Amino acid sequence: MVSSSELKAWWKEAVVYQIYPRSFMDSNNDGIGDLVGIIQKLDYLKNLGIDVIWLSPHFDSPNADNGYDIRDYRKVMAEFGTMADFDQLLTQMKQRGMRLIIDLVVNHTSDEHQWFLESRQSTDNPYRDYYIWRESKPDTLPNNYPSFFGGSAWEKDAATGQYYLHYFAKKQPDLNWDNPQVRADVYDLMRFWLDKGVSGFRMDVIPFISKQQGLPDLAPEHLPHPEFVYANGPYVHDYLQEMNREVLAHYDTMTVGEAFGITFEQAPLFTDARRHELNMIFHFDLVRLDRDGWRKLAWTLPDVKAVYGRIDAAASSHGWNTTFLTNHDNPRAVSHFGDDSPEWRSISAKALATMMFSQRGTPFLYQGDELGMTNYPFQNITDYDDVEVKGQWQDFVLSGKVSAPDYLAHLAQTSRDNARTPMQWNTQAQAGFTTAQPWLAVNPNYPEVNAEAQTHDTNSVYQHHQRLITLRKANPVLIYGTYQDLDPEHPQVYAFTRTLEGKTCLILINFGHQAIDYTLPNGIRIETVLLDNGAQLEAPASGSTQITLQPWQATIYTVA
Ligand code: ISL
Ligand code: CA
């Protein structure tokens, strides 16, 4: 049995950086990030050690969901620039040896897409079956499906009196993937971008594309988490294998599926190389381990370690994985898993980065996390932009189910907008992101947290990321090595090894604010220090089996 560590590939060795273009860099000072702004920052990313950029949707969109509602798949969003800008971005990236993957959002389109404008006109329109329409008796819905953005997943359309399905906003009608013409049109648009030179796709909620046949009601126990039903339709693997045969197999691509609603046990069905579907998927069990819907729960380090253990098990079956601590849909990593107070922000952000870049799986670094950017100090509902927030405010607060103070207290910790505030480049007004009024407020801590300061500070979060990425690329054991958690139940220390061809690295991370004397399990002996996050007071003697870990110390060692 050939293991995933023997199947080498460029996309397993790459480090990926996710750009949310709206918030990355505004080159024409209209308050919105754009493609030319990204071009201006390519050297910053090259110097960081980035190989691949995942660009969140850049396509023409009315921005009901900030680009995840596509109106024209072959056109660049006007706010972001032109197709010439896109081509220039690709050219500039290739000159730097970097690759671009783009965001394939094909579970749904915008309701302003030409296909939907046709489809909604009449029940016999040739495009009617591009979407999912249902008759329904007056004032009763086709079924009890909820939308993730509040309310029902069904919207009644005046022209024909029928309902259409939308798992997300009503301006995001779901495509009917059971229709072979829909699939053929999606494959065509994929070829359009691959032929322009992109190197693959991140696939938005791709497990949702196959709907449950007959669309029966959700059982009551599934209502809090409909994604587990939405993601397990009968034909998702047929469609992905067809997509692979029709498109992906003909190009040298990297594909990552956003596997919202998929369990670890199901992961190999998407990523096992022998099935010819996707290269890897995003699991959400880590970033959502402390969530009960809108409620923020407590988490423990053993909880985190248990998830990493299950993620790694999923990767060992010919598949591959991703490692990430946040994205444009989740709170900032250092606020979520570290300590974002001024005293501990930098050292804990470096500790978390050490954890992330030492895992087996392709690292996906979200814009700003290389600086240890933090959550925003949201106060009231008008501070937010996110369509999900507005829909859920209606569902939970205006309905009287939850008090506003209670909901806002949880929302400030969990909101997707925490990750969408503008990049903090320097200490100029608006953190150098724009000279206009930005579309979403800049975090007021930008004078203390910005790229300009950190690219010149050897102890910065940015430079620690540079060193981690360099170390990872120089040591295949950190890319392909098998993973072993040495002390799963320890409440404060994360101790794990990576082993490949007789070479072992030990990673020790102290998640506590107090120093701790730690005895290495299994009689392991430290040999040398490969990289410390700056907390270590003195390097341990070679052969040590005991060590004192300083608060938030994270160190990578070789093992004797
Ligand atoms: O968990 C979620 C739903 O409450 C969200 O994080 C998110 O809707 C889900 O993870 C799917 O995300 C993707 O599809 C959405 C879009 O809003 C997200 O930005 C995208 O990442 C619809 O396209
Ligand atoms: Ca702009």
Side-chain angles (χ1 to χ4, degrees):
M1 175 159 131
V2 174
S3 75
S4 58
S5 56
E6 288 154 39
L7 296 171
K8 302 216 181 316
W10 62 265
W11 44 267
K12 293 182 178 178
E13 301 173 8
V15 173
V16 186
Y17 188 90
Q18 180 193 356
I19 290 180
Y20 192 72
R22 196 173 187 80
S23 306
F24 190 66
M25 180 62 203
D26 173 18
S27 69
N28 63 344
N29 296 312
D30 60 0
I32 298 172
D34 45 58
L35 299 183
V36 169
I38 297 172
I39 293 170
Q40 291 171 353
K41 298 297 181 182
L42 286 179
D43 288 331
Y44 166 82
L45 296 176
K46 186 65 182 173
N47 295 336
L48 178 55
I50 299 304
D51 306 296
V52 178
I53 291 174
W54 154 27
L55 184 61
S56 273
H58 66 285
F59 313 93
D60 174 46
S61 166
N63 286 302
D65 186 16
N66 290 350
Y68 282 91
D69 51 314
I70 295 171
R71 178 168 51 199
D72 184 337
Y73 287 97
R74 290 177 172 79
K75 191 162 173 281
V76 171
M77 187 191 301
E79 294 91 324
F80 291 164
T82 64
M83 188 60 88
D85 294 333
F86 182 88
D87 292 340
Q88 178 62 356
L89 171 62
L90 260 184
T91 301
Q92 292 288 331
M93 287 183 68
K94 286 188 190 302
Q95 281 176 5
R96 292 168 174 79
M98 299 168 86
R99 298 171 191 250
L100 178 67
I101 66 171
I102 59 176
D103 214 316
L104 187 70
V105 186
V106 289
N107 170 70
H108 48 270
T109 69
S110 164
D111 67 348
E112 298 179 29
H113 192 288
Q114 192 55 33
W115 295 337
F116 191 71
L117 299 181
E118 288 284 339
S119 180
R120 75 187 322 174
Q121 277 182 14
S122 65
T123 53
D124 58 359
N125 184 288
Y127 284 88
R128 189 66 174 184
D129 283 344
Y130 267 56
Y131 296 87
I132 297 159
W133 297 92
R134 288 295 181 279
E135 284 290 357
S136 198
K137 294 182 283 302
D139 303 326
T140 58
L141 296 169
N143 72 13
N144 66 351
Y145 279 11
S147 158
F148 290 108
F149 293 168
S152 162
W154 294 99
E155 179 68 12
K156 186 166 190 173
D157 201 45
T160 62
Q162 289 191 347
Y163 290 81
Y164 67 84
L165 180 67
H166 60 89
Y167 284 163
F168 295 96
K170 61 186 175 191
K171 281 186 71 61
Q172 293 171 289
D174 279 53
L175 279 167
N176 172 20
W177 271 74
D178 294 340
N179 180 344
Q181 195 50 53
V182 166
R183 303 201 301 271
D185 280 352
V186 168
Y187 302 156
D188 274 350
L189 72 90
M190 291 175 73
R191 291 186 196 99
F192 173 83
W193 292 100
L194 289 168
D195 290 341
K196 286 181 75 67
V198 306
S199 297
F201 304 96
R202 175 267 189 181
M203 298 188 188
D204 193 60
V205 291
I206 199 68
F208 288 1
I209 58 177
S210 172
K211 287 7 184 194
Q212 299 295 347
Q213 303 301 288
L215 297 175
D217 270 357
L218 290 176
E221 64 269 20
H222 288 134
L223 280 170
H225 286 286
E227 63 271 16
F228 293 108
V229 172
Y230 296 169
N232 281 286
Y235 301 115
V236 64
H237 299 294
D238 303 81
Y239 297 157
L240 286 177
Q241 288 169 23
E242 180 186 71
M243 178 192 283
N244 197 299
R245 279 194 310 276
E246 292 290 322
V247 184
L248 301 173
H250 304 282
Y251 299 83
D252 178 15
T253 57
M254 170 189 205
T255 53
V256 52
E258 186 202 21
F260 182 43
I262 293 298
T263 64
F264 290 111
E265 294 68 33
Q266 293 172 306
L269 293 174
F270 292 85
T271 61
D272 184 325
R274 298 166 298 182
R275 293 172 54 88
H276 305 293
E277 293 190 18
L278 303 176
N279 295 138
M280 52 195 128
I281 60 173
F282 292 139
H283 297 290
F284 291 95
D285 292 42
L286 183 58
V287 292
R288 294 295 169 92
L289 92 168
D290 54 349
R291 291 279 291 277
D292 174 16
W294 62 275
R295 282 191 186 284
K296 172 79 171 67
L297 307 174
W299 59 272
T300 68
L301 181 58
D303 295 339
V304 169
K305 295 189 277 191
V307 173
Y308 271 121
R310 288 178 27 238
I311 286 179
D312 194 71
S316 57
S317 57
H318 290 266
W320 193 249
N321 249 315
T322 58
T323 170
F324 68 102
L325 293 176
T326 189
N327 57 22
H328 64 293
D329 291 334
N330 286 283
R332 286 284 178 185
V334 71
S335 302
H336 192 178
F337 297 110
D339 179 335
D340 63 7
S341 66
E343 181 187 2
W344 296 103
R345 182 190 61 76
S346 181
I347 194 70
S348 67
K350 292 191 280 184
L352 293 173
T354 304
M355 174 175 77
M356 172 178 145
F357 281 91
S358 304
Q359 297 293 332
R360 181 167 64 158
T362 299
F364 280 71
L365 174 61
Y366 180 64
Q367 69 179 42
D369 264 30
E370 77 277 12
L371 303 176
M373 278 177 63
T374 68
N375 282 355
Y376 181 88
F378 291 113
Q379 296 299 318
N380 49 53
I381 195 64
T382 52
D383 293 340
Y384 294 93
D385 163 82
D386 186 357
V387 62
E388 182 178 58
V389 169
K390 293 171 180 165
Q392 292 185 352
W393 180 260
Q394 181 73 35
D395 262 12
F396 301 130
V397 178
L398 300 188
S399 65
K401 288 188 196 117
V402 179
S403 77
D406 189 14
Y407 182 68
L408 288 169
H410 287 267
L411 189 63
Q413 300 176 74
T414 61
S415 168
R416 307 195 301 178
D417 278 343
N418 278 306
R420 300 177 179 185
T421 63
M423 270 293 283
Q424 295 164 202
W425 294 108
N426 54 47
T427 57
Q428 292 163 19
Q430 305 300 354
F433 164 72
T434 180
T435 59
Q437 190 58 34
W439 72 278
L440 188 65
V442 171
N443 195 310
N445 67 10
Y446 74 89
E448 294 77 44
V449 185
N450 63 76
E452 175 65 29
Q454 294 196 30
T455 46
H456 297 98
D457 169 5
T458 186
N459 295 318
S460 66
V461 182
Y462 175 87
Q463 293 210 18
H464 188 61
H465 276 78
Q466 279 179 312
R467 291 188 284 267
L468 278 168
I469 292 169
T470 303
L471 184 74
R472 183 181 169 95
K473 291 180 181 176
N475 291 275
V477 60
L478 291 174
I479 297 172
Y480 292 109
T482 52
Y483 166 91
Q484 187 185 4
D485 185 340
L486 301 180
D487 203 345
E489 292 315 312
H490 198 288
Q492 183 175 332
V493 174
Y494 188 2
F496 63 96
T497 55
R498 303 288 311 279
T499 300
L500 183 70
E501 292 152 6
K503 180 171 180 181
T504 295
C505 283
L506 167 67
I507 295 92
L508 294 181
I509 303 169
N510 177 4
F511 270 74
H513 292 76
Q514 311 78 26
I516 182 169
D517 293 331
Y518 185 66
T519 300
L520 298 181
N522 313 344
I524 277 190
R525 290 180 301 121
I526 282 169
E527 185 179 50
T528 58
V529 174
L530 283 177
L531 181 60
D532 180 66
N533 69 337
Q536 178 180 251
L537 296 181
E538 57 178 302
S542 182
S544 300
T545 58
Q546 302 255 357
I547 185 161
T548 299
L549 295 171
Q550 298 307 314
W552 283 108
Q553 178 177 338
T555 314
I556 304 174
Y557 307 88
T558 57
V559 167

